[in-house]
Amino acid sequence: MALAAKVVKRTKDSFQFKISKENFESFCDSIGLYRREFLDALDTSEKDHKAGRITKRKSLRELIA
């Protein structure tokens, strides 16, 4: 199933797009936000944050570098 999205801004390094509220759940599912591994990582992250174990990041790219 294809998701309808409208590109609203495009730069050399990024783009912004708009999807409808009706397609939001399908979008989240298609990029893996409902995967058990991702949800477990969110739980772990929340526990670390509450315990004060945080690191300030300027970009998510720092996590994969």
Side-chain angles (χ1 to χ4, degrees):
M1 176 177 152
L3 294 174
K6 177 182 177 186
V7 175
V8 291
K9 183 178 180 182
R10 187 182 313 236
T11 68
K12 182 180 112 182
D13 298 323
S14 66
F15 65 92
Q16 289 180 341
F17 61 95
K18 187 183 290 191
I19 60 172
S20 70
K21 291 178 186 178
E22 292 78 20
N23 287 337
F24 183 71
E25 187 172 349
S26 294
F27 169 77
C28 291
D29 187 43
S30 69
I31 63 170
L33 295 182
Y34 295 136
R35 285 189 350 248
R36 173 57 32 208
E37 298 85 6
F38 180 75
L39 297 175
D40 290 344
L42 285 179
D43 289 339
T44 301
S45 177
E46 184 177 10
K47 289 175 187 171
D48 286 344
H49 181 64
K50 287 180 179 178
R53 294 184 299 269
I54 60 171
T55 303
K56 298 268 184 185
R57 302 278 184 200
K58 292 181 182 178
S59 169
L60 290 176
R61 292 183 189 267
E62 293 177 34
L63 298 176
I64 58 174

